[in-house]
């Protein structure tokens, strides 16, 4: 992301898929309005089922897509938000709880404590954590609350959704991006990004599943109560 004191920041997204590589450059204003400045795409090479199989060919495809987007936008980019796909995408839920003082409401330090405790249970050995997302809080095992601050109770619990991806596969993806002289500012599963872009608040609240059918992989994200509760993927054509 490129920042300027006089202009709204520039955001670039890179979608590396099995059939094509896309790059979009946009300007985001303070009120979160997005203006597309440029885009570029190129036939993907060196990618199979969303996984890098040839770093050199994949790098050339990325460079061509990025260069086309830069020329249209008349901007140079250094950082990108990159998608992560492939049939090895998976999710894990971890929960934790703590006791809280019954004579005072939940405070920020309580929320941090229960979240940190949940993260301590996470074992990502051999995997790259793509997402650490808070699914919801519960006070005294009651109904889910989005923000427990100032609520009274004796116990506070949280559910955390982890999106994991095999570390060697992620390193290959990161190598392609870095070989294109770009830094990864953020990363996101493809279907999660698709859900954020096309679902309205009511759909995410009531529950919806995004099925993102790509050239080599079908990615899935399920939303409920406004947050994702599952990540997964399978090869196109089935398991």
């Amino acid at each position: 992301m490129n920042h300027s004191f006089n202009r709204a920041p520039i955001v670039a997204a890179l979608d590396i898929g099995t059939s094509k590589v896309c790059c979009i450059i946009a300007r985001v204003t303070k009120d979160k309005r997005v203006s597309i400045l440029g885009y570029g795409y190129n036939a993907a090479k060196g990618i199979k089922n969303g996984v890098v199989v040839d770093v050199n060919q994949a790098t050339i495809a990325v460079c061509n897509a990025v260069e086309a987007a830069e020329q249209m936008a008349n901007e140079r980019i250094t950082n990108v938000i990159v998608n992560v796909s492939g049939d090895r995408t998976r999710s894990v839920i971890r929960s934790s709880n703590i006791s809280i003082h019954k004579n005072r409401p939940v405070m920020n330090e309580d929320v941090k404590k229960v979240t940190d405790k949940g993260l301590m249970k996470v074992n990502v050995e051999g995997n790259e954590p793509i997402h650490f997302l808070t699914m919801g809080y519960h006070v005294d095992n009651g109904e889910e609350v989005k923000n427990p601050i100032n609520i009274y109770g004796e116990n506070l619990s949280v559910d955390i959704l982890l999106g994991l991806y095999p570390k060697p596969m992620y390193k290959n993806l990161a190598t392609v991006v870095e070989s294109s002289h770009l830094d990864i500012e953020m990363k996101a599963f493809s279907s999660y990004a698709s859900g954020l872009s096309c679902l309205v608040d009511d759909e995410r609240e009531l529950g919806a599943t995004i099925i993102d059918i790509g050239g080599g992989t079908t990615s899935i994200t399920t939303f409920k109560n406004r947050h994702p509760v599952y990540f997964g993927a399978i090869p196109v054509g089935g398991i």
Side-chain angles (χ1 to χ4, degrees), residues 141-194:
N141 298 317
E143 292 294 323
E144 179 183 304
V145 294
K146 295 179 177 64
N147 182 4
I149 301 298
N150 293 327
I151 295 179
Y152 284 85
E154 297 184 6
N155 293 281
L156 175 66
S157 62
V158 65
D159 296 322
I160 299 173
L161 179 70
L162 288 82
L164 301 177
Y165 195 70
K167 189 172 286 291
M169 292 182 181
Y170 179 77
K171 284 185 176 180
N172 290 331
L173 178 67
T175 298
V176 168
V177 177
E178 291 163 4
S179 297
S180 305
H181 307 290
L182 298 168
D183 293 324
I184 297 177
E185 180 155 348
M186 296 177 64
K187 49 189 183 285
F189 284 143
S190 299
S191 54
Y192 178 44
S194 297

Side-chain angles (χ1 to χ4, degrees), residues 13-24 39-47 57-66 68-69 82-83 173 176-177 180 182:
L14 184 63
D15 184 348
I16 303 175
T18 299
S19 59
K20 66 181 182 299
V21 176
C22 300
C23 179
I24 292 180
Y39 63 87
Y41 61 90
N42 195 76
K45 294 183 178 180
I47 310 289
Q57 286 191 337
T59 299
I60 292 171
V62 168
C63 288
N64 289 338
V66 170
V82 67
N83 80 307
L173 178 67
V176 168
V177 177
S180 305
L182 298 168

